[in-house]
Amino acid sequence: MALRGPAGLGPGCRRPLDEAVAAAEGREAPGVLAAGGAPEDEEEDDGRGRGLLRWDGFSAWLHCVCVVGFDLELGQAVEVIYPQHSKLTDKEKTNICYLSFPDSNSGCLGDTQFCFRFRQSSGRRVSLHCLLDQFDKDLPVYLKKDPAYFYGYVYFRQVRDKTLKRGYFQKSLVLISKLPYIHFFHTVLKQIAPEYFEKSEPYLEAACNDVDRWPAPVPGKTLHLPIMGVVMKVRIPTCHDKPGTTQIVQFTQQADTNISVILPTVHEVDLFRCFCPVFLHSQMLWELVLLGEPLVVMAPSPSESSETVLALVNCISPLKYFSDFRPYFTIHDSEFKEYTTRTQAPPSVILGVTNPFFAKTLQHWPHIIRIGDLKPTGEIPKQVKVKKLKNLKTLDSKPGVYTSYKPYLNRDEEIIKQLQKGVQQKRPSEAQSVILRRYFLELTQSFIIPLERYVASLMPLQKSISPWKSPPQLRQFLPEEFMKTLEKTGPQLTSRIKGDWIGLYRHFLKSPNFDGWFKIRRKEMTQKLEALHLEALCEEDLLLWIQKHTEVETVDLVLKLKNKLLQADREHLPVKPDTMEKLRTHIDAIILALPEDLQGILLKTGMT
């Protein structure tokens, strides 16, 4: 049955960016109770009445929804893409097909959920719905969208069906999104996929219409998201949140009587469940991820591989993992040759695999984690050992961490004792995850604080900023100068862990994670200098200045000030709200002091 989707309407918004964003921020989910008030009237509104086009609400959360089935002649095939106007290249469709099904050796009977990540085809035009990238700036760095990648969230069902030639019903419902909100989208799939498999396309169309009516994913706002009779309460984190905390209120009150599901997190996985088989080596794995070392997770199913890869990437939070990572990777992936070649060193990437073929193909990789079935919450698997790589022959090899890596830091026995005690006392996995997440957070912060302190010292003094000169440059990052600061202000101030911290820093400074982190910090500091320069300009008596300068110089100043305003708006410079208004007032005053013919020209030029 063909799904109805307005083929002529793309997801892009044709209104000015600021209007569209304002409209998106002001949208409310239908039927949500206001605090202490009555439900708002539900209106049949397809989004156009709120200043957004049909499907813009949907595009804020998802690129599209795919249904992947198994055809005896074609193999895996995309049966449905919804909305119908959604654009996917043939290469992207092929990747989705293969990544949406577990490898045949996984033997996944029943329902299975997992996640994958794949590269967007080059040359794809960035659609205008990136008006919602306005919100990206307020997200923590590790939740910002990567324009080069899509996430796929899968709900796969395989059950016996004698009426089919193959003897099995095999189908996946897949949500394709730019947003790395793993826990959120898995929860959405749990709500809609089982019924979709029973009711088929009309149900999917109704679910997508619900998503199109959601408010935009604005960081810091508590959102009520209704889908097929269920209302989910979520909050997207912001870069201003204290790391390691969840802001969403979990108590029930009168205004929340229609809330079915409250999600304390949108992106985190069950950290302890994933690290459980290897928690003795969790600190070593933290080092490997921090340093961007090539890492393979060999697991029995895509659920285990994707959860473990995502847990590894998450363990260095609030630092962002800047290299590529694939929660589930197959031999059909378009990057298979690139990542498995032996003609060059393995790339900085974390791969999650399930096919036994990879045991041979990737045996030259320096670090391999082989895990067995992840036990249900409450059951503790036997702890794996660190083994030499030469002992890894097949995927049937015993679970273990296969590496010759020697950690820089001594193992923290305190955290191991704490987690082991929790196991003996049958402490819930959620509580164990909180302990492990706090440990990783404190470890990462102890490591990054000395770098933050040194980088802050590269900032020129505020008194060196002159309104009549270009903003001063940041001082250069000098590794040896930084190393000297560690003696007095190193991680020993905040961490009890001993070891070769300097060796770890030297290695980190050569890694993609340092490059990515420093690039962002340098951009933030450069923008801060630009903002301070703007503020210095605003404090000047510009009308007095133009009295001492020629008409040509005055026109040049107006054009430069207008460019500064455009830059501040475009780059979201951290300027005080009144600074922009002051600058506009200055510009208007200067223009009015000029001859009338010039006034007309300058008022039409750019923004005022």
Side-chain angles (χ1 to χ4, degrees):
M1 176 180 177
L3 291 183
R4 286 178 285 115
L9 282 179
C13 182
R14 296 171 194 163
R15 303 187 66 211
L17 177 64
D18 51 349
E19 289 179 38
V21 168
E25 281 188 295
R27 300 166 67 203
E28 288 296 335
V32 174
L33 291 173
E40 293 181 9
D41 292 336
E42 290 192 30
E43 295 178 21
E44 284 301 317
D45 182 1
D46 64 1
R48 283 178 283 265
R50 295 163 298 187
L52 295 174
L53 297 178
R54 173 84 158 127
W55 298 117
D56 273 341
F58 180 92
S59 297
W61 293 90
L62 293 168
H63 178 72
C64 66
V65 178
C66 297
V67 178
V68 180
F70 192 90
D71 185 284
L72 273 176
E73 293 177 9
L74 302 174
Q76 280 109 286
V78 176
E79 296 177 349
V80 175
I81 299 177
Y82 197 80
Q84 286 180 334
H85 64 260
S86 303
K87 298 285 191 297
L88 287 172
T89 66
D90 289 342
K91 187 177 179 181
E92 287 166 348
K93 285 179 191 172
T94 302
N95 273 331
I96 290 167
C97 278
Y98 285 115
L99 290 166
S100 297
F101 270 43
D103 280 316
S104 55
N105 65 290
S106 296
C108 297
L109 267 176
D111 292 355
T112 306
Q113 284 192 256
F114 58 94
C115 165
F116 60 83
R117 185 173 180 261
F118 65 103
R119 202 176 283 173
Q120 183 174 294
S121 294
S122 56
R124 173 190 276 280
R125 187 174 62 84
V126 177
S127 60
L128 287 174
H129 80 253
C130 63
L131 66 94
L132 293 146
D133 291 349
Q134 169 79 12
F135 307 135
D136 220 40
K137 68 183 175 67
D138 293 324
L139 286 168
V141 65
Y142 53 86
L143 286 183
K144 289 182 187 292
K145 292 192 288 290
D146 188 326
Y149 290 89
F150 281 117
Y151 283 84
Y153 301 98
V154 182
Y155 195 106
F156 170 72
R157 174 168 288 185
Q158 178 169 261
V159 291
R160 291 185 187 279
D161 188 338
K162 291 180 182 177
T163 63
L164 299 174
K165 278 187 184 179
R166 200 172 160 80
Y168 287 95
F169 170 89
Q170 294 173 306
K171 196 163 280 196
S172 285
L173 182 61
V174 189
L175 308 180
I176 304 295
S177 178
K178 287 280 184 182
L179 305 177
Y181 302 161
I182 294 100
H183 184 60
F184 170 72
F185 285 118
H186 280 331
T187 305
V188 171
L189 279 169
K190 271 182 193 166
Q191 301 298 331
I192 65 170
E195 279 203 71
Y196 163 70
F197 290 126
E198 302 298 325
K199 298 177 182 175
S200 206
E201 278 82 357
Y203 182 87
L204 181 60
E205 185 174 359
C208 289
N209 280 320
D210 276 353
V211 174
D212 189 43
R213 294 172 65 84
W214 285 357
V218 183
K221 270 193 170 184
T222 298
L223 306 173
H224 298 81
L225 310 174
I227 187 160
M228 304 312 285
V230 171
V231 180
M232 295 180 294
K233 182 178 178 180
V234 302
R235 180 185 179 276
I236 312 295
T238 80
C239 54
H240 309 295
D241 294 347
K242 185 181 176 184
T245 60
T246 177
Q247 305 287 322
I248 195 157
V249 180
Q250 294 201 55
F251 58 82
T252 304
Q253 57 187 36
Q254 189 180 356
D256 275 356
T257 52
N258 66 331
I259 303 298
S260 316
V261 180
I262 298 177
L263 294 185
T265 175
V266 292
H267 66 284
E268 291 169 348
V269 295
D270 188 338
L271 206 59
F272 182 70
R273 182 169 177 265
C274 300
F275 272 93
C276 194
V278 293
F279 76 72
L280 289 177
H281 319 298
S282 53
Q283 191 173 300
M284 178 180 74
L285 295 175
W286 173 85
E287 284 189 25
L288 291 174
V289 176
L290 180 77
L291 299 173
E293 286 286 306
L295 198 54
V296 184
V297 175
M298 294 184 173
S301 79
S303 294
E304 274 101 357
S305 81
S306 63
E307 281 186 39
T308 306
V309 169
L310 292 165
L312 287 166
V313 168
N314 198 243
C315 80
I316 62 168
S317 179
L319 267 183
K320 179 178 178 175
Y321 180 78
F322 281 93
S323 297
D324 191 9
F325 60 95
R326 304 300 178 91
Y328 176 48
F329 189 75
T330 75
I331 59 173
H332 303 287
D333 198 285
S334 50
E335 279 77 59
F336 174 74
K337 284 184 181 175
E338 179 187 335
Y339 285 166
T340 57
T341 179
R342 290 179 182 240
T343 58
Q344 58 194 44
S348 173
V349 63
I350 303 177
L351 298 180
V353 303
T354 62
N355 194 319
F357 181 73
F358 282 108
K360 185 177 180 182
T361 313
L362 299 177
Q363 62 184 345
H364 63 294
W365 277 46
H367 321 289
I368 297 172
I369 305 169
R370 169 78 177 95
I371 58 171
D373 292 310
L374 292 182
K375 302 293 182 187
T377 303
E379 292 184 42
I380 305 301
K382 184 180 175 184
Q383 285 296 292
V384 302
K385 295 179 180 177
V386 174
K387 303 177 182 183
K388 291 182 179 174
L389 279 163
K390 65 181 182 183
N391 295 335
L392 183 69
K393 296 287 187 277
T394 67
L395 199 61
D396 296 328
S397 298
K398 288 182 179 178
V401 180
Y402 292 81
T403 180
S404 54
Y405 177 80
K406 295 286 183 288
Y408 287 98
L409 305 181
N410 302 339
R411 190 154 77 177
D412 185 349
E413 298 297 338
E414 286 296 314
I415 184 67
I416 291 168
K417 285 177 189 172
Q418 202 175 352
L419 291 171
Q420 283 175 330
K421 187 179 178 184
V423 170
Q424 290 159 5
Q425 295 176 345
K426 298 195 174 350
R427 187 186 291 144
S429 181
E430 293 84 357
Q432 293 279 77
S433 284
V434 168
I435 292 167
L436 191 56
R437 186 168 277 110
R438 191 190 308 126
Y439 162 72
F440 280 138
L441 174 65
E442 288 171 358
L443 188 55
T444 304
Q445 287 181 324
S446 291
F447 180 79
I448 211 71
I449 284 169
L451 277 162
E452 291 279 9
R453 191 181 287 117
Y454 173 70
V455 167
S457 75
L458 304 180
M459 188 86 164
L461 295 172
Q462 191 162 346
K463 65 182 180 183
S464 68
I465 297 171
S466 163
W468 306 113
K469 294 179 184 175
S470 295
Q473 298 290 304
L474 296 174
R475 284 199 308 113
Q476 191 180 352
F477 187 108
L478 300 172
E480 290 311 312
E481 187 180 64
F482 164 66
M483 294 300 170
K484 286 175 186 172
T485 67
L486 296 175
E487 189 179 342
K488 290 183 179 176
T489 57
Q492 70 275 9
L493 296 180
T494 52
S495 177
R496 62 176 176 261
I497 299 170
K498 308 291 183 191
D500 183 9
W501 284 96
I502 288 180
L504 185 62
Y505 280 113
R506 286 193 191 282
H507 196 154
F508 177 71
L509 295 183
K510 297 172 187 171
S511 75
N513 286 332
F514 171 73
D515 288 343
W517 173 80
F518 184 58
K519 202 174 284 181
I520 286 174
R521 292 296 289 115
R522 187 170 52 201
K523 182 183 176 184
E524 288 171 350
M525 291 164 71
T526 303
Q527 288 182 335
K528 181 65 179 171
L529 284 170
E530 291 284 357
L532 290 170
H533 186 245
L534 261 182
E535 284 165 21
L537 268 170
C538 284
E539 297 308 314
E540 288 292 304
D541 187 341
L542 298 181
L543 287 175
L544 180 66
W545 182 89
I546 65 170
Q547 290 171 19
K548 301 175 183 178
H549 291 79
T550 65
E551 217 170 71
V552 172
E553 288 171 317
T554 302
V555 170
D556 187 51
L557 174 66
V558 169
L559 295 175
K560 281 179 177 173
L561 290 176
K562 287 192 174 197
N563 278 333
K564 283 274 185 190
L565 273 177
L566 284 168
Q567 181 195 8
D569 194 51
R570 184 178 61 248
E571 296 179 13
H572 309 298
L573 294 185
V575 290
K576 295 170 187 169
D578 63 330
T579 300
M580 301 283 276
E581 206 44 57
K582 270 187 190 175
L583 203 55
R584 285 190 183 94
T585 306
H586 279 321
I587 291 170
D588 290 342
I590 295 168
I591 290 174
L592 289 173
L594 289 166
E596 279 189 22
D597 58 334
L598 280 175
Q599 284 183 33
I601 294 167
L602 289 173
L603 285 169
K604 289 175 187 173
T605 309
M607 58 189 288
T608 56

